[in-house]
Amino acid sequence: DERIQKKLQAGWPEVPFHDHEVGVSGSADCVLTYKANPLPTEIKTTSIDVYKWEKLTKPHANHECQVSIYAYMFMKMNYYPGTKIENFLIVYLNLLYPPGDTKAEKEFLLPYDHEKTELLINNLKEARDAYIAGIVYECKYSLCSRHGE
């Protein structure tokens, strides 16, 4: 509820960023430390049924893109000097389970791929520039789900 969110924000504030060049803004839920490096972390809540939950073996591709962008921006903006972001974390919490039930949590520690994320960022910049110019943009991001991957 709202009271818990306020307590979390007091102890674990979100990490915001804004980049005018790329035209991307956002905030990571938190940045932990993993093997002496920053670990951008996104926490997602869900209420999917137990059958689907048990079959969840990897995070949603959009969530991977989201946290990859956080990592990219934190490195580009030199948020954590002298370190390198090598991984990111996505945590899912299923609200259908009672509080404290460990089956309600799934964590995915994933490697951060700078080159793959840079392709995504460049596609976002091209799409934004086309939109501003009033041009219909055809996605060129090879990993886009519309391209069958």
Side-chain angles (χ1 to χ4, degrees), residues 61-133:
N62 288 348
H63 300 155
E64 286 188 50
C65 288
Q66 178 184 1
V67 187
S68 290
I69 290 170
Y70 297 162
Y72 182 92
M73 287 298 149
F74 293 152
M75 288 178 54
K76 179 180 187 268
M77 300 173 91
N78 201 26
Y79 267 40
Y80 305 98
T83 63
K84 184 177 180 186
I85 296 176
E86 296 177 343
N87 301 91
F88 58 85
L89 180 66
I90 301 172
V91 178
Y92 289 97
L93 301 172
N94 192 328
L95 301 176
L96 294 180
Y97 288 86
D101 189 333
T102 57
K103 291 183 288 194
E105 302 171 15
K106 292 197 180 207
E107 297 179 2
F108 297 98
L109 179 67
L110 301 165
Y112 167 63
D113 184 333
H114 186 78
E115 290 177 14
K116 179 175 151 183
T117 307
E118 194 163 49
L119 289 172
L120 172 61
I121 293 289
N122 288 333
N123 190 71
L124 290 172
K125 286 194 310 193
E126 290 176 15
R128 181 208 52 201
D129 293 345
Y131 177 79
I132 291 169

